[in-house]
Each structure stands twice: as C-alpha cells, then as structure tokens.
C-alpha cells in the first residue's frame, strides 16, 4: 500500500503511505512495517489517513514514535480521527494537513 510521491523536504522526496481499514494492537505490526519501509532512506514520510477507519492507543503510540524519529506529515484525517487527535492534544504536536497535496508542499 505504499505509493511513491514527489514532495520536497530539504531536497528529498517523501514517500506516501495510504493504509486502509482498522488498526489496533493486532494490526499495528503491519502498519509499523509499512512506515519503516517507506521511511527507509528518506527524511520523512506522508501518512494519507483518509482510508483509516479506526485506531487505538497502540497506533497513537506508533504515530508519536514515528513523529519523533522522522519528519511525519499526516493528511486527510477523517472527522473521527480528527476528534481523537484533538482529545489527546496531538493536533498541536503533529504535522496535520487537509490533503496529501498540502502535505507535499508544506
């Protein structure tokens, strides 16, 4: 589910991943693998969250860990995820964008 992208961040292209469905304790290793593969050799990555329908605290932990180790840009949060990020204050910590194009040009 990883697709190449052509955003610029300090002269390097950032890949885009667009996981689909629900992510929780049981599926977080798959998401971790997608993130690690995409981030390998890049300054960061864009997470297109438009297809994510559910996350739990293990995914929030993964997102924060990814944010700490690389330049993570998150795009297309649906209203439910926007609310979750707001409740935990992540909307003030993470790099959130309304679209993938906005994340690419940021």
């Amino acid at each position: 589910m990883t697709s190449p992208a052509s955003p610029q961040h300090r002269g390097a292209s950032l890949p885009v991943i667009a996981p689909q469905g629900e992510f929780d304790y049981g599926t977080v290793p798959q998401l971790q693998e997608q993130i690690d593969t995409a981030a390998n050799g890049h300054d960061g990555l864009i997470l297109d969250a438009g297809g994510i329908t559910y996350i739990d605290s293990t995914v929030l932990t993964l997102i924060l860990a990814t944010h700490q180790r690389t330049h993570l840009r998150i795009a297309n949060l649906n209203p439910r995820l926007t609310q979750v990020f707001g409740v935990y204050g992540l909307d003030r910590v993470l790099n959130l964008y309304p679209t993938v194009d906005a994340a690419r040009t940021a």
Side-chain angles (χ1 to χ4, degrees):
M1 297 210 187
T2 302
S3 60
S6 58
Q8 297 298 312
H9 174 66
R10 296 187 184 120
S13 294
L14 295 181
V16 176
I17 63 168
Q20 303 289 313
E22 297 182 358
F23 292 92
D24 57 20
Y25 178 79
T27 56
V28 79
Q30 296 164 337
L31 184 57
Q32 175 77 61
E33 184 177 334
Q34 277 189 25
I35 288 170
D36 290 346
T37 299
N40 187 25
H42 298 278
D43 289 336
L45 72 126
I46 298 171
L47 171 64
D48 179 349
I52 299 175
T53 57
Y54 172 82
I55 59 173
D56 71 3
S57 63
T58 59
V59 178
L60 293 177
T61 300
L62 171 62
I63 288 171
L64 284 171
T66 302
H67 172 73
Q68 289 176 340
R69 71 179 169 96
T70 191
H71 186 76
L72 176 64
R73 299 175 185 185
I74 302 172
N76 289 332
L77 282 178
N78 65 42
R80 174 179 255 163
L81 293 182
T82 299
Q83 181 181 20
V84 169
F85 278 46
V87 166
Y88 289 102
L90 299 177
D91 56 342
R92 294 184 302 265
V93 175
L94 299 172
N95 303 304
L96 305 177
Y97 301 90
T99 66
V100 171
D101 287 339
R104 284 182 175 145
T105 59

